[in-house]
Amino acid sequence: MSEKVLMKGNEAVAESAIRAGCKLYFGYPITPQSEIPEYMSRKLPQIPGGAYIQAETEVSAINMVYGATSAGARAMTTSSSPGISLMMEGISYIACAEVPCVIVNVMRGGPGLGNISPEQADYFQVVKGGGHGNYRLVVLAPSSVQEMADLTYDAFDIADKYRMPVMLVAEGNLGQMMEPVKFKELKTEFTDKSEWALTGTRNHEPKIITSILLDPETMEKHIHKLYEKYALIEENEVRFEEYLTDDAEIIIIAYGLISRVARSVVDKLRDEGIRAGILRPISLWPFPNEAIKSKIEQAEFFFVCEMSMGQMVEDVRLAVNGAKPVHFFGRCGGVVPTPVEMFDNVKKYL
Amino acid sequence: MEKIFKKPKGLNDKTMHYCPGCGHGIVHKMIAQTLEELDLLERTIFISPVGCAVFAYWYFNTDHIQAAHGRAPAVATGLKRANPELIIVSYQGDGDLASAGTAEIVHAAARGENISVIFINNAVYGMTGGQMAPTTLVGQKTSTSPFGRDPNFAGHPLKVCEMLATTKAPRYIERTSLDSVANLNKTKKAIKKSFDLQARGEGFSLVEILSPCPTNWGMSPPEAMDWIAETLSKEYPLGVFRDERADTEVRNDS
Amino acid sequence: MPKIEIEKNVCKGCGLCVRICPKNVIVISKGLNDKSYHPAEYIGEGCIGCKSCALTCPDSAIEVYK
């Protein structure tokens, strides 16, 4: 690990990606994530074989990543909500073609051009697919600058391991805020990609990376293969964090930066003798279903707080499956809930 | 007796899925021949577009990647930047390159990406059934311009070579055709020049090839070749639009 | 004497070789090949080995000998 440095979340993503061996960055400016391309444009040209390419659109950026990672390189792109919408075509192709890549979405307010304030309303898009067809993304949601760095580093390994796109989602204010962060060492050993990466035919038969499977039976077989991989990921890659849940009767579920607001709410509830705790999903897909289910018996109710009109709450309801009440409180449009209003909303159900 | 013309090593023995008289097969053969002549087969990544040539990988003995509609130049950019030793053949039709992918091709050219773009212009969307393309001629009847392309509603044909030649970075841009022995030879020569320039690191090149689509034009293959000679190449004049000595400076300051 | 060999079952009978041959020594066969096309066929004499037919053939069905 490096020395502790004070850094913006966005810059921590960029630095951590470079330490994970990402030599190629393709992106397009959009607030509130532009510090990532700016950082990459300063650093990558100094690395042998490194390049920063400012793409003409987010559509091109994701397709450049598709090309670069198909050649066996570690590459990434980053954007914010409207730009991520543009990338969905490419992400669907990459998921089907089984090529690894890392995408970071520093989320802002929507729909439409919306605004540049933080929101969590891209959950449906990135967790449920976003692009066309049957596929999944691994979606990781950090709640601190340190976690921005750590999960970016891990995202490259997960992407390579399962040969699929991995997306990091962070609220705009998490990208902008500064916190102390330590970085992992520069990665030097990587997954062997010689089985599939395009390197020319000098030592092997022609290799093909494609996402067209015209015969329905073949396509179905391929989708089943993808879903076998996804089942494996649901088994092995679920990440979540708990705070004071052992004896909790009120289980607050929140991810990302808002989970830190929830933490102060839990402390205040505990001060009043109310046994509350937090279950924070870190992987939004695979979703921590079993962890939530394990709290059903002890819970009086679940309380989901999001910076959206309620998207993750649907997955919580699926996990709880009517066994206990699931209440929701959210602010949207870029408004961040205050601890006081979250506290008041929890107390409504006591 | 010596065999003076045989099937190139770059192609396998599968029978191509293209319609009788389709230009794709002619150009595929030239690409394979050229890669063999320049000893580049083992370093080549062929990028197939969306369109009839989406299955080009069925035929080439090279590594292969399939790109989304219009995105081949972006995929080419990623591949080449990741591994400059690779030879990138970005193969696109006119619906793919001149409509869905205008942003990608213009900016790959403007950046001077060291790739070869083979641009097949047959003035229609082939695979989807002969609809009007950006390259369709004024008055030309297609399945979505049943009364002929009306420039008052649908505008005029887009001229890719002319447009790209306004950017500074490209090393070489030429438009050729497949309609005569002379033009076939020029096309082969242009493809070879494009690949050779790339292998020598000289930068972006594009060869636009006027190519027949007899099925969607409603013509026999020989009639289609005559139509290229008499009509299509009047709208799209053949020739070299850019051929400059490129150096690193020129490519980087664009 | 130069000559060409046309792979009968690869040919789709498009006629581009017939159109381009400067000596008019290629014709479309009355018979069908395995794919139910009328393939092109060399009349057996008059070839000058110019390779034009092989160059224009979309299916790489023609080999030229000289």
Side-chain angles (χ1 to χ4, degrees):
Chain A
M1 290 289 253
S2 72
E3 289 296 301
K4 225 172 218 186
V5 287
L6 190 64
M7 239 185 194
K8 270 191 173 187
N10 285 339
E11 291 177 333
V13 163
E15 176 59 30
S16 190
I18 292 169
R19 284 168 184 262
C22 172
K23 287 186 177 181
L24 296 146
Y25 175 91
F26 308 92
Y28 190 86
I30 182 171
T31 308
Q33 64 84 54
S34 293
E35 291 83 0
I36 304 176
E38 285 167 3
Y39 194 93
M40 290 303 202
S41 71
R42 288 197 298 274
K43 298 281 180 171
L44 286 179
Q46 299 171 32
I47 296 172
Y52 162 84
I53 308 289
Q54 189 153 315
E56 51 274 15
T57 61
E58 289 88 344
V59 177
S60 294
I62 189 71
N63 281 286
M64 288 173 183
V65 171
Y66 175 43
T69 56
S70 292
R74 280 196 161 181
M76 84 185 301
T77 185
T78 65
S79 190
S80 178
S81 311
I84 295 294
S85 292
L86 278 175
M87 289 184 188
M88 281 303 164
E89 174 199 60
I91 293 171
S92 166
Y93 277 67
I94 292 169
C96 186
E98 294 192 273
V99 173
C101 82
V102 174
I103 307 143
V104 177
N105 177 7
V106 185
M107 296 181 289
R108 57 186 251 181
L113 197 48
N115 59 32
I116 58 170
S117 298
E119 214 186 26
Q120 295 180 323
D122 295 357
Y123 182 96
F124 280 159
Q125 186 186 38
V126 301
V127 170
K128 304 296 178 182
H132 59 285
N134 291 292
Y135 76 92
R136 288 286 193 182
L137 302 176
V138 171
V139 183
L140 304 174
S143 69
S144 65
V145 172
Q146 183 62 55
E147 227 176 20
M148 292 274 274
D150 293 344
L151 293 180
T152 299
Y153 198 92
D154 293 352
F156 281 94
D157 290 338
I158 297 170
D160 278 357
K161 184 175 176 191
Y162 298 101
R163 285 174 58 187
M164 67 183 287
V166 176
M167 185 180 286
L168 202 79
V169 292
E171 304 77 33
N173 45 358
L174 190 51
Q176 293 298 321
M177 67 192 262
M178 292 183 92
E179 283 184 324
V181 55
K182 277 185 174 182
F183 292 101
K184 291 182 183 165
E185 296 305 321
L186 182 67
K187 199 171 176 78
T188 49
E189 279 179 31
F190 302 99
T191 319
D192 177 28
K193 298 176 180 176
S194 60
E195 278 294 299
W196 59 268
L198 304 180
T199 52
T201 51
R202 198 161 293 129
N203 302 314
H204 60 82
E205 288 298 296
K207 286 181 282 197
I208 295 161
I209 291 179
T210 185
S211 68
I212 182 168
L213 298 124
L214 210 52
D215 168 50
E217 305 274 340
T218 312
M219 185 81 221
E220 187 183 49
K221 214 170 132 191
H222 181 66
I223 294 166
H224 283 171
K225 186 183 147 213
L226 293 180
Y227 274 72
E228 279 165 26
K229 181 165 79 179
Y230 299 156
L232 210 61
I233 292 168
E234 284 185 298
E235 238 170 74
N236 299 324
E237 304 297 339
V238 174
R239 296 183 188 209
F240 60 91
E241 186 190 62
E242 292 182 68
Y243 179 63
L244 304 180
T245 50
D246 281 353
D247 64 343
E249 295 171 337
I250 297 163
I251 307 290
I252 297 180
I253 301 180
Y255 71 94
L257 201 59
I258 190 76
S259 67
R260 289 164 69 169
V261 177
R263 194 178 268 247
S264 54
V265 170
V266 163
D267 291 342
K268 194 150 186 276
L269 288 165
R270 291 254 167 194
D271 287 347
E272 294 189 9
I274 301 161
R275 284 183 294 169
I278 301 173
L279 196 155
R280 173 172 74 94
I282 296 171
S283 58
L284 302 184
W285 194 86
F287 195 66
N289 288 308
E290 294 309 316
I292 292 172
K293 280 180 193 164
S294 73
K295 303 285 176 272
I296 288 175
E297 206 171 313
Q298 71 188 67
E300 194 181 315
F301 63 82
F302 292 85
F303 182 88
V304 179
C305 187
E306 294 178 71
M307 282 153 65
S308 77
M309 288 300 287
Q311 300 193 4
M312 179 182 69
V313 64
E314 294 191 2
D315 284 334
V316 176
R317 287 192 175 124
L318 279 173
V320 175
N321 199 19
K324 290 286 165 67
V326 176
H327 302 299
F328 174 76
F329 168 66
R331 297 295 303 266
C332 60
V335 181
V336 183
T338 64
V340 174
E341 63 185 338
M342 198 192 289
F343 177 81
D344 291 346
N345 270 278
V346 176
K347 287 197 81 176
K348 277 202 307 203
Y349 302 104
L350 290 173
Chain B
M1 191 169 270
E2 190 199 348
K3 200 186 272 190
I4 59 168
F5 196 108
K6 59 181 179 188
K7 193 167 186 172
K9 276 190 220 158
L11 293 179
N12 58 33
D13 287 331
K14 290 195 190 94
T15 302
M16 293 189 185
H17 69 289
Y18 303 116
C19 305
C22 174
H24 280 311
I26 305 175
V27 180
H28 284 15
K29 176 180 56 189
M30 289 177 175
I31 289 172
Q33 279 174 329
T34 306
L35 291 172
E36 190 181 331
E37 286 162 14
L38 295 172
D39 197 22
L40 298 175
L41 265 174
E42 291 187 336
R43 286 165 58 191
T44 297
I45 314 292
F46 189 103
I47 307 178
S48 74
V50 170
C52 293
V54 67
F55 293 120
Y57 58 77
W58 285 345
Y59 314 120
F60 282 91
N61 289 323
T62 63
D63 272 0
H64 200 109
I65 184 166
Q66 199 282 314
H69 199 44
R71 318 295 176 223
V75 176
T77 299
L79 282 161
K80 191 72 176 191
R81 298 283 185 153
N83 184 355
E85 287 301 304
L86 300 174
I87 297 295
I88 311 296
V89 179
S90 186
Y91 190 96
Q92 296 184 270
D94 47 316
D96 192 83
L97 181 143
S99 199
T102 42
E104 284 79 2
I105 192 63
V106 168
H107 289 275
R111 285 192 304 270
E113 293 294 339
N114 187 27
I115 58 171
S116 297
V117 180
I118 306 300
F119 169 37
I120 305 297
N121 182 358
N122 58 21
V124 287
Y125 284 84
M127 192 181 224
T128 46
Q131 293 83 6
M132 182 176 68
T135 42
T136 294
L137 303 188
V138 168
Q140 186 182 341
K141 287 183 181 169
T142 70
S143 60
T144 53
S145 58
F147 312 108
R149 180 175 184 166
D150 178 350
N152 295 315
F153 287 99
H156 292 265
L158 196 70
K159 299 192 177 172
V160 170
C161 287
E162 287 84 340
M163 177 171 68
L164 295 185
T166 63
T167 63
K168 195 176 174 187
R171 169 67 178 82
Y172 169 57
I173 299 172
E174 180 166 1
R175 182 183 291 126
T176 66
S177 132
L178 302 176
D179 65 286
S180 66
V181 176
N183 284 333
L184 286 163
N185 283 322
K186 276 187 192 167
T187 301
K188 169 83 190 325
K189 216 175 128 196
I191 291 171
K192 191 164 184 173
K193 180 166 181 167
S194 167
F195 293 174
D196 190 40
L197 286 171
Q198 184 185 165
R200 291 194 279 120
E202 295 220 6
F204 181 89
S205 63
L206 177 140
V207 182
E208 173 176 346
I209 302 166
L210 302 184
S211 175
C213 182
T215 302
N216 286 309
W217 293 353
M219 298 175 192
S220 73
E223 285 167 353
M225 284 297 190
D226 292 343
W227 191 72
I228 292 176
E230 289 153 18
T231 309
L232 197 61
S233 50
K234 298 291 181 289
E235 180 69 30
Y236 295 104
L238 308 183
V240 176
F241 291 83
R242 169 68 60 83
D243 190 4
E244 284 173 9
R245 268 235 53 86
D247 52 43
T248 319
E249 239 177 67
V250 172
R251 280 197 281 133
N252 284 352
D253 68 7
S254 281
Chain C
M1 274 292 277
K3 64 163 187 175
I4 59 167
E5 278 178 8
I6 301 172
E7 216 176 321
K8 186 181 163 187
N9 288 318
V10 173
C11 175
K12 293 175 186 159
C14 71
L16 291 182
C17 54
V18 178
R19 172 183 178 268
I20 214 160
C21 176
K23 293 292 170 187
N24 298 314
V25 294
I26 310 172
V27 294
I28 294 292
S29 165
K30 294 220 176 349
L32 296 173
N33 67 9
D34 289 354
K35 295 191 175 69
S36 299
Y37 290 115
H38 294 282
E41 145 184 294
Y42 175 45
I43 63 170
E45 56 183 11
C47 175
I48 55 169
C50 72
K51 300 189 280 188
S52 303
C53 54
L55 200 59
T56 199
C57 176
D59 293 287
S60 301
I62 304 175
E63 292 189 330
V64 186
Y65 296 83
K66 200 168 185 172

